[in-house]
Structure formats: structure tokens, C-alpha cells
Amino acid sequence: MSTFQLTYATMFDPPEELHTRYEAALAEARATLGAEYGMTINGEEVYAKHTFKSHNPANTEEILGLFQTGTAEDAENAVAAAKAAFPTWSRTPWQERVQLLNKAADIIDERIFDIAAATSLEVSKNRMEALGDVAEAPALIRWACDEMERNQGFVTKMGEDPLVGYHARNYSVLRPYGVWLVISPFNFPAALTGGPVGAALVAGNTVVMKPATDTPWTVRLLAECFVDAGLPEGAVNYVTGSGSVLGQALVDSPDLDGLTFTGSYDVGMGIFRSFAQGKYIRPTILELGGKNPAIVSRHADVECAALGIVRSAFGLQGQKCSACSRVYIEEPLYDQTVDRIVELTSELRVGDPTDRSTYMGPVVNSWAYRDFLTFSDELREAGTILTGGEVLTEGDFINGYFCSPTIAADVPLEHRLWKHEMFLPITLVHKVESLEEAMALANDVDYGLTSGFYGDEEEASWFFDNTQAGVNYANRPQGATTGAWPGFQPFGGWKGSGSSGKNAGGYYYLQLYMHEQIQTLIE
Ligand code: NAP
């Protein structure tokens, strides 16, 4: 294990020890099923009047845990706790904050198998995807810590202005905002909660985190790591409940100083608009959806392209913001590439995500399952389903939201599903006459998260120059549009896919959690 670094691009051939440790953790996680979990507010375990059940999407009869249905009052208490903790935490020397956050990252690493087992059960991630999600959280936290160190706490001496008879000492200091809200999506509960929480905290903000209703367990286990690292009470708070009640109450709090929301375009834009109702503008980091294209040139390596496209289309059941949902192929290689994509797709193993040989588990909930049926019907009517298009209901599939990986062709370009983020294991393919035509179609959406390309190097450079997306890959068999890792591929979107224009896990991200103060002293 020591020489193996798990990333989304290295997960295909892991060492054996990884499997045995995951299986042991899974058995332990299963032994706790049905337990009740509180919220963590001001260091206290808090219980609400009502609870909700978290179900296993692979077997909806299995209840994973009971979680608190947090209310507007809980939102108020969590924000108040974070506000009270801010003066002390923000004045804690940055070196100490870095030390504590690095400790939290170490604890997550120590518990990676336990947390990943919970993630597999509640999101139906296969074991490698679950481990990858959890491993990304400490990677992002450490990245933020390293950036704080590399920039020496963001205290920068500026030039001395040429004042006659005086001596001026000028400093630029980046300082935290205050109380920071982190709202995360169901599909990467560990990385997309842990990453922003780590950045906000190391910058000196205090935090309230709210996970998706589908993934309270993973985030609870993650929150415990921050608490166990020794962060002061109130610096990090964990609340659970619905987005529309608890989430909205948090967003509406006048005591909030900034937020990071990762989730769908519609919910994110709603939050952006309601957060703008405050007395003044507060920082709003939005990481939103995608409709990610892959382009295959006539000079592409067909095997490489087909592998990358299939992995990106169907990893985590197509429920990645970076999933490849559109493929444009130049005419000379169209038939050959599509045949290979269909062949690889029909070989994917769908099943219980905790089984070693499973590639695709079920989709996350009944809404996603219903959407799959609706979209498949629409595509069948508008074009041709080359493989898939069915839900799986027999035998082991009877109690889960299992769908077959689906490729559709001949769908008219005016069809709404060319532009709508389906967030399901469905990908559309289309024949083009030229790369220019492919690029025009690829860019003709409101999203701009990731994109992929297969062709020669000169074409790849043209692709990078012309694609309108934040994260782009050329000739990558590990994933056409997926597989970003902090430090290698900082992750973020253009256009409707993100608000800041700066990518998480990159050099310009941590600064988003601080405002600049200039300090001029005439000595
Ligand atoms: P979602 O439905 O938009 O929910 C995201 C989060 O927002 C959940 O915690 C949800 O809570 C909460 N929420 C819902 N309504 C709210 C409100 N009015 N106020 C405050 N919070 C509210 O997204 P999802 O289905 O969980 O995740 C999938 C989406 O996330 C896709 O669009 C995907 O592309 C996007 N995503 C983007 C990135 C990126 O980096 N760009 C990464 C991953 C995912 P409840 O669950 O309780 O409703």
C-alpha cells in the first residue's frame, strides 16, 4: 500500500490489502446499521423532535441510520455557535490552524476504510469510487494547509510609498470573513464537504456544514474527524435536515459571512439569489452541474477513446458532475468508435456496489430512478437506444434502484436532453463532419465544467484553446472527462458550472475564503 497512491486515475489496479481492509470495515459498518446519530452544534450532540431514515439504494429495505430532521431553530443555533467561536479561532495563529487541520486530515486517512464503507452503503459507490471520494478529502485539506504555509499566512510586505519625510510600512493581509456555510451534494459527500470545510477553517473562518439528505452518514463520520482533531467547540458544526427547510434557513441567516454550495444549477442559482438579499454582498462559491462533452477526431486511438468515454460516462452510475454525457465523433471513425463504446458498455457489471467485481451500483434514489425511466423513453422515441435503456428489477435487483448503462444515437440536436444535465448512466453519441462542428456543439450549452478530446497532439492543443470548460483532458484512457485530483487537476467550472472561476485544489482557491486588508503604518 505504501507505494500506491489512490486517485481517480490510479484506481484500476489496487493492491490486495486494500480489498481486505475495505471488507473488514464494511462488516463493521453493517454491524452498526440502524443507529441514531445526533447533530453537532457547539461541541454538543443535539437531537431534534423528528428524525429521518437513511436507506441503502441497493436494498431500500435496509435502513442505514436515523438522522435528525434539523429545523430553522437548529440552523440559528449552529450559526450562533460558529459566530461565537470565530473571534478565538480567527486569532489562533495560522501555524496552529494548519497543524490542527493536518491532524484532521490524518484522522480521516486513518478512518478511510470505515468512512468509505458508509459511503458505499449510502451512495452506492463501488469500493474504489468510495475510497477515492474519502481519500480526496484529506488531499484537499492538506492542499489548503500547504497553500497557507507556502504563502506564509498570506501576510505580504508591499512597497514603501515615496513619502518625503515619512517612512511608511505597508502590508497586505488576507483575513477570514467569519461564519462560513458548506452545503454539499450527495455524490461526493466526503471530498466536497471535507475540501471546502478544510479551506474555510484553515483560512480562519468557523463552519456550519449541511450534507445532502441522501448522505448524512458519511458527513457525520467526517465531522467526527474534525472534532477529534481538537478544533475548538463551535468552530465546526454539523447539522442534518432538508435543503428546503434547514438549508434555506441557514442561507437566510443574516449572521452568515460566506458560503460554499456544491450541487445542481437550479438549487445553486436559487441560493445565490436569496443570499444576495442580505444587506451587502457576501462571498458565494458555487460549484454547479455539468453537461460534459468528449470529442473524437478522425486521428484518435479508438480503443483509448472508447475506454475513456465509457469510464467517464458510467463511473458512479453517471452521477458525477464531470460525467461524460455527450460524445461527438468525426465521421471516418464514427462506426468503429460507437461499436467499441457499445461493446465496452454492455460488458460493465451492474450489481451490489460493495461486491468486488461491481462497476456500477444503483442510482441514488427514487427520483433519479424515475428520471431514468422518463429519459430512456424520451430517447427511445426520439432516436435509437444502442444499449441499455432499461431498469433492472429481477433477482438481486428487486429492492434497489438499478439501471442499465445506456448509449443513445440519432437523437436530433434540438432535443432537450442534449443540454439538460441528466445525472444518470445515459450518454448520447453524434456523428460530425469536422472538429469545428464538434467544438461548436460542445460549447453550445450553459455549462462549462469538463471536456475530453481524442486525436493528435496538434489537434489537442487546438482543443485546449477552444473548449469552454474549467477542466480538460486529451487522450486519457482513464477517463475522458472525469478523474480530477487535487494538485494535479484543480477542479472547477466555467459559465453555469461555477461562480468563482478558480478551481478547488489549485493555487487560487484558498484566497476565496479570505478578504484582503491593507495595513499602512507611518513610523
Ligand atoms: P442538489 O439537489 O442541488 O442538492 C445539493 C445540496 O443542496 C443538498 O445538500 C441539498 O439538500 C441542498 N439544498 C437543496 N435545496 C436547498 C435550499 N433551498 N437551500 C439550501 N440548501 C439546499 O444536488 P445533488 O442532487 O445533491 O447533487 C448533484 C448535483 O451536484 C449535480 O447537478 C452535479 O453536477 C452537482 N455537482 C457539482 C460539482 C462541482 O464540483 N461542480 C460536484 C459534485 C456535484 P437536500 O439533499 O436535503 O435537498
Side-chain angles (χ1 to χ4, degrees):
M1 279 264 289
S2 54
T3 54
F4 177 73
Q5 191 195 350
L6 180 67
T7 74
Y8 295 112
T10 65
M11 63 168 58
F12 304 103
D13 189 21
E16 191 57 30
E17 186 193 346
L18 189 141
H19 290 291
T20 44
R21 292 185 67 187
Y22 171 87
E23 276 155 21
L26 187 67
E28 276 184 38
R30 282 200 192 280
T32 70
L33 292 189
E36 181 171 355
Y37 299 87
M39 300 184 282
T40 310
I41 300 178
N42 206 21
E44 307 270 317
E45 195 80 350
V46 173
Y47 292 87
K49 217 189 240 168
H50 301 287
T51 55
F52 65 94
K53 291 177 183 143
S54 165
H55 296 269
N56 180 350
N59 174 8
T60 54
E61 288 184 350
E62 192 166 65
I63 293 166
L64 304 177
L66 283 181
F67 294 87
Q68 308 306 308
T69 308
T71 60
E73 195 187 335
D74 295 311
E76 201 179 308
N77 291 339
V79 173
K83 189 173 178 178
F86 178 69
T88 305
W89 180 244
S90 59
R91 286 191 197 110
T92 302
W94 64 264
Q95 293 88 340
E96 272 178 50
R97 295 201 304 261
V98 163
Q99 208 176 14
L100 279 170
L101 268 305
N102 272 324
K103 190 166 170 204
D106 290 345
I107 296 173
I108 299 169
D109 265 343
E110 282 160 24
R111 300 180 189 171
I112 181 169
F113 290 96
D114 306 312
I115 305 174
T119 311
S120 281
L121 290 170
E122 71 178 352
V123 196
S124 281
K125 288 193 180 214
N126 71 29
R127 60 181 65 186
M128 297 313 298
E129 291 280 1
L131 286 162
D133 179 359
V134 183
E136 194 178 349
L140 285 166
I141 296 166
R142 288 197 187 100
W143 181 268
C145 290
D146 291 351
E147 279 302 284
M148 203 70 184
E149 277 178 334
R150 198 172 64 82
N151 291 282
Q152 288 299 293
F154 292 95
V155 178
T156 308
K157 194 170 191 313
M158 304 303 294
E160 291 172 12
D161 29 1
L163 301 173
V164 179
Y166 296 91
H167 182 240
R169 206 178 59 185
N170 298 322
Y171 275 89
S172 157
V173 184
L174 292 193
R175 301 185 59 182
Y177 282 95
V179 179
W180 203 277
L181 172 63
V182 173
I183 299 180
S184 52
F186 79 84
N187 67 336
F188 283 87
L192 298 179
T193 312
V197 166
L201 285 169
V202 83
N205 302 284
T206 51
V207 167
V208 178
M209 63 178 104
K210 186 214 113 45
T213 296
D214 286 317
T215 51
W217 192 13
T218 303
V219 179
R220 160 73 197 210
L221 297 176
L222 194 76
E224 286 173 8
C225 298
F226 286 104
V227 171
D228 293 349
L231 273 103
E233 281 171 8
V236 56
N237 302 277
Y238 156 82
V239 288
T240 51
S242 81
S244 54
V245 177
L246 175 76
Q248 192 62 49
L250 287 165
V251 171
D252 290 343
S253 168
D255 287 331
L256 216 58
D257 298 291
L259 67 81
T260 304
F261 167 86
T262 311
S264 62
Y265 173 86
D266 286 345
V267 173
M269 290 303 288
I271 286 175
F272 180 70
R273 292 187 180 106
S274 52
F275 202 44
Q277 303 306 309
K279 275 194 284 192
Y280 47 80
I281 293 167
R282 293 161 291 173
T284 316
I285 304 176
L286 303 175
E287 310 288 356
L288 307 178
K291 187 71 187 169
N292 313 294
I295 297 175
V296 182
S297 125
R298 64 191 71 208
H299 303 117
D301 174 334
V302 169
E303 188 61 20
C304 174
L307 264 176
I309 287 163
V310 170
R311 282 174 171 155
S312 286
F314 302 118
L316 183 53
Q317 296 79 264
Q319 300 170 123
K320 292 188 185 182
C321 50
S322 53
C324 177
S325 61
R326 303 178 287 148
V327 185
Y328 303 105
I329 306 166
E330 275 203 292
E331 195 273 334
L333 285 192
Y334 181 80
D335 289 340
Q336 199 185 336
T337 309
V338 170
D339 285 352
R340 189 63 185 134
I341 288 174
V342 169
E343 193 176 15
L344 288 170
T345 301
S346 47
E347 285 167 8
L348 294 177
R349 192 171 176 287
V350 182
D352 180 335
T354 61
D355 283 353
R356 184 171 176 163
S357 56
T358 292
Y359 186 75
M360 266 183 59
V363 299
V364 73
N365 57 31
S366 58
W367 289 281
Y369 194 61
R370 276 200 295 270
D371 278 351
F372 180 87
L373 285 165
T374 308
F375 298 154
S376 296
D377 285 348
E378 278 187 48
L379 293 170
R380 198 171 286 112
E381 202 163 298
T384 314
I385 303 260
L386 300 177
T387 183
E390 308 288 344
V391 292
L392 307 171
T393 54
E394 302 289 316
D396 290 348
F397 298 129
I398 192 159
N399 288 321
Y401 303 122
F402 292 94
C403 306
S404 55
T406 301
I407 306 281
D410 310 322
V411 178
L413 289 171
E414 311 71 62
H415 196 283
R416 73 178 189 110
L417 294 182
W418 277 110
K419 296 194 179 183
H420 178 79
E421 184 189 39
M422 291 184 270
F423 220 57
L424 287 167
I426 303 178
T427 289
L428 311 185
V429 295
H430 182 72
K431 189 189 299 177
V432 291
E433 295 305 321
S434 68
L435 289 182
E436 286 72 19
E437 182 191 354
M439 186 61 77
L441 291 168
N443 286 336
D444 187 24
V445 289
D446 290 336
Y447 291 111
L449 194 50
T450 70
S451 72
F453 180 79
Y454 296 90
D456 66 32
E457 279 196 23
E458 200 178 314
E459 290 170 331
S461 145
W462 171 86
F463 158 75
F464 289 133
D465 279 350
N466 286 281
T467 188
Q468 295 170 358
V471 186
N472 308 286
Y473 310 92
N475 297 334
R476 197 168 182 249
Q478 292 83 3
T481 58
T482 52
W485 198 258
F488 305 120
Q489 296 94 10
F491 194 77
W494 290 13
K495 300 185 339 194
S497 293
S499 66
S500 71
K502 306 291 180 293
N503 295 5
Y507 291 115
Y508 318 106
Y509 181 74
L510 186 58
Q511 293 90 323
L512 301 173
Y513 291 82
M514 295 172 275
H515 40 191
E516 184 169 11
Q517 185 180 60
I518 300 302
Q519 302 176 351
T520 289
L521 174 69
I522 303 294
E523 293 175 326

